[in-house]
């Protein structure tokens, strides 16, 4: 009778983490950035049917990188949790922190289970407050840990390089156009340091806009509105350059 092959728990968990990280890294990167009037989500996504960004509740947005079918299941579960909690208690009781805790429990349970593979996803849950100080951004890696982020965050693909780029250039009080330009610049940088052009039609952009009069703050930015923002930002940049000269 052959002896069963033994793998230490530490090695097994390390292998599962490496498997999940490689799966996430194969996906395209996305960034979430705070700006003066809210939070903007920007990612390269040629598909108009498979969204990386979605609304969870009134002030809460969801972003994900990795395998679409896995993070779509998590998104649907989050919407159901938010609807049930808001209906049972009060709409103000639905928070990004509470939703992040639910996602952390789900991801952590799946990651530590020996009966199924870990999810190849990395999530961002963001909530826009009445003021910038009330904004909340939580990043949830594949193992179910929760990271409280401030200013900007990148997930998927070459997220580490993009995060470094954002940390060096992000400023408080940026306009939406400025934050959008910074996001596109960060996403357009390849791992070897070169830059490539990402056309507007390949971008998926959404915002949580605190200035919207309705209770639902999530809005997608597409078509002409996105083009105007990119052009306005470029025109402003050119004007600033002319003044410096």
């Amino acid at each position: 009778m052959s002896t069963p092959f033994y793998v230490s728990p530490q090695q097994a968990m390390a292998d599962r983490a490496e498997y999940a990280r490689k799966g996430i890294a194969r996906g395209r990167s996305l960034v979430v950035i705070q700006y003066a009037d809210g939070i903007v989500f920007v990612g390269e996504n040629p598909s108009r049917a498979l969204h990386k960004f979605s609304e969870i509740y009134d002030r809460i947005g969801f972003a994900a990188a990795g395998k679409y079918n896995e993070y779509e299941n998590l998104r649907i579960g989050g919407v159901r949790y938010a609807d049930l909690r808001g209906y049972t208690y009060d709409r103000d009781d639905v928070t990004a922190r509470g939703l992040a805790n639910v996602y952390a429990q789900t991801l952590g349970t799946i990651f530590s289970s020996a009966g199924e593979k870990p999810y190849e996803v990395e999530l961002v849950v963001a909530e826009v407050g009445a003021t910038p100080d009330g904004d909340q951004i939580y990043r949830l890696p594949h193992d179910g840990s929760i990271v409280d982020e401030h200013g900007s965050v990148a997930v998927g693909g070459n997220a580490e390089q993009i995060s470094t780029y954002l940390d060096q250039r992000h400023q408080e009080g940026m306009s939406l156009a400025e934050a959008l330009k910074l996001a596109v610049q960060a996403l357009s940088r390849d791992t070897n340091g070169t830059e490539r052009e990402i056309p507007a039609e390949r971008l998926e952009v959404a915002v949580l806009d605190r200035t919207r009069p309705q209770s639902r703050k999530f809005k997608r930015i597409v078509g002409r509105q996105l083009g105007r923002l990119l052009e306005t930002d470029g025109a402003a940049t050119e004007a600033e350059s002319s003044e410096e000269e």
Side-chain angles (χ1 to χ4, degrees), residues 34-39 127-136 172-173 210:
Q34 287 180 272
Y35 69 101
D37 293 328
I39 300 172
E127 178 179 358
V128 67
T131 64
D133 291 338
D135 293 345
Q136 301 176 44
E172 294 185 4
R210 78 176 95 256

Side-chain angles (χ1 to χ4, degrees), residues 192-204:
N192 58 8
T194 60
E195 293 188 16
R196 58 191 175 87
E197 183 178 355
I198 304 177
E201 57 270 17
R202 291 182 62 88
L203 290 173
E204 180 180 354

Side-chain angles (χ1 to χ4, degrees), residues 16 19 70 106-119:
R16 292 172 67 83
Y19 172 85
E70 293 178 348
T106 301
L107 289 171
T109 300
I110 294 171
F111 180 74
S112 59
S113 172
E116 55 184 319
K117 77 171 187 65
Y119 270 16

Side-chain angles (χ1 to χ4, degrees), residues 79-179:
V79 171
R80 290 173 177 167
Y81 160 83
D83 284 343
L84 180 60
R85 187 168 183 83
Y87 177 79
T88 306
Y89 300 100
D90 186 84
R91 299 186 76 87
D92 291 337
D93 291 326
V94 183
T95 64
R97 180 179 299 177
L99 186 63
N101 286 331
V102 171
Y103 280 143
Q105 293 173 20
T106 301
L107 289 171
T109 300
I110 294 171
F111 180 74
S112 59
S113 172
E116 55 184 319
K117 77 171 187 65
Y119 270 16
E120 300 168 58
V121 298
E122 190 167 10
L123 311 180
V124 176
V125 179
E127 178 179 358
V128 67
T131 64
D133 291 338
D135 293 345
Q136 301 176 44
I137 301 176
Y138 299 101
R139 177 171 62 86
L140 293 100
H142 55 275
D143 60 358
S145 56
I146 302 178
V147 183
D148 188 2
E149 301 283 359
H150 300 280
S152 63
V153 59
V155 297
N158 56 332
E160 185 174 347
Q161 176 183 344
I162 293 175
S163 294
T164 301
Y165 185 88
L166 292 174
D167 290 342
Q168 294 172 347
R169 291 163 176 80
H170 178 265
Q171 298 176 354
E172 294 185 4
M174 299 179 75
S175 68
L176 175 57
E178 290 170 339

